[in-house]
């Protein structure tokens, strides 16, 4: 299957082993938002029986990568998306499955315009991680860049 025929979830699972290891589920991937789920798996629990902080970070970072690919997949022939920095704040105890919802912090058109101008754009992606009852368990921001291939 070529990259053009693969879904974003399939592409990330094929190219990012950690997403595959955690059995992340890609529920929605569009240029407007990406929603991923981390199933409740005992092998990834912490000392209090919920998902380990590292697994939650990977869930959030993967959601940010999914929206970046959805929004800028048509730019991959000329630029490589790279995470520049990430910050996470854990708000409440997470138990059970956790869902991450990612949204772009800047309009995609602005980012592409910078790339067109020969610049290396940076843009934030905001991610909210929630447990099944809707409570936000963590908030995360990943800053991405599109590094030109030249």
């Amino acid at each position: 299957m070529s990259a053009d025929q693969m879904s974003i979830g399939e592409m990330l699972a094929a190219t990012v082993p950690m997403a595959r290891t955690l059995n992340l589920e890609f529920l929605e991937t569009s240029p407007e938002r990406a929603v991923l789920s981390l199933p409740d798996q005992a092998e990834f629990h912490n000392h209090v029986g919920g998902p380990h902080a590292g697994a939650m970070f990977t869930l959030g970072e993967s959601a940010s990568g999914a929206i970046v690919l959805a929004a800028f997949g048509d730019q991959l022939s000329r630029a490589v998306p790279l995470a520049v920095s990430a910050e996470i704040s854990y708000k409440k105890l997470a138990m059970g499955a956790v869902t991450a919802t990612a949204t772009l912090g800047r309009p995609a058109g602005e980012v592409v315009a910078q790339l067109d101008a020969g610049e290396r754009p940076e843009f934030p992606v905001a991610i909210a991680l929630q447990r099944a009852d809707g409570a936000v368990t963590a908030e995360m921001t990943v800053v991405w860049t599109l590094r030109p291939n030249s």
Side-chain angles (χ1 to χ4, degrees), residues 1 12 14 21 23-24 27 32-33 37 49 55 58 61 64 74 85 105 108 116-117 122 124 128 132-133 136 145-146:
M1 182 179 287
L12 278 172
T21 297
N23 302 306
L24 299 182
L27 306 177
E32 290 74 41
R33 73 183 211 152
S37 178
T58 301
E61 195 274 342
S64 76
D74 60 341
S85 64
D116 290 343
E122 289 191 2
D133 67 2
V136 174
T145 188
L146 296 179

Side-chain angles (χ1 to χ4, degrees), residues 61-138:
E61 195 274 342
S62 297
S64 76
I67 196 169
V68 167
L69 285 175
F72 303 108
D74 60 341
Q75 304 299 318
L76 295 180
S77 63
R78 67 182 188 138
V80 175
L82 298 170
V84 174
S85 64
E87 184 176 304
I88 191 166
S89 297
Y90 299 98
K91 304 291 186 182
K92 293 183 184 247
L93 185 62
M95 298 298 279
V98 178
T99 301
T101 302
T103 55
L104 286 179
R106 287 181 57 200
E110 281 183 13
V111 175
V112 173
Q114 272 191 278
L115 190 62
D116 290 343
E119 299 174 28
R120 182 175 170 168
E122 289 191 2
F123 54 94
V125 175
I127 307 102
L129 290 90
Q130 296 176 284
R131 58 187 187 210
D133 67 2
V136 174
T137 62

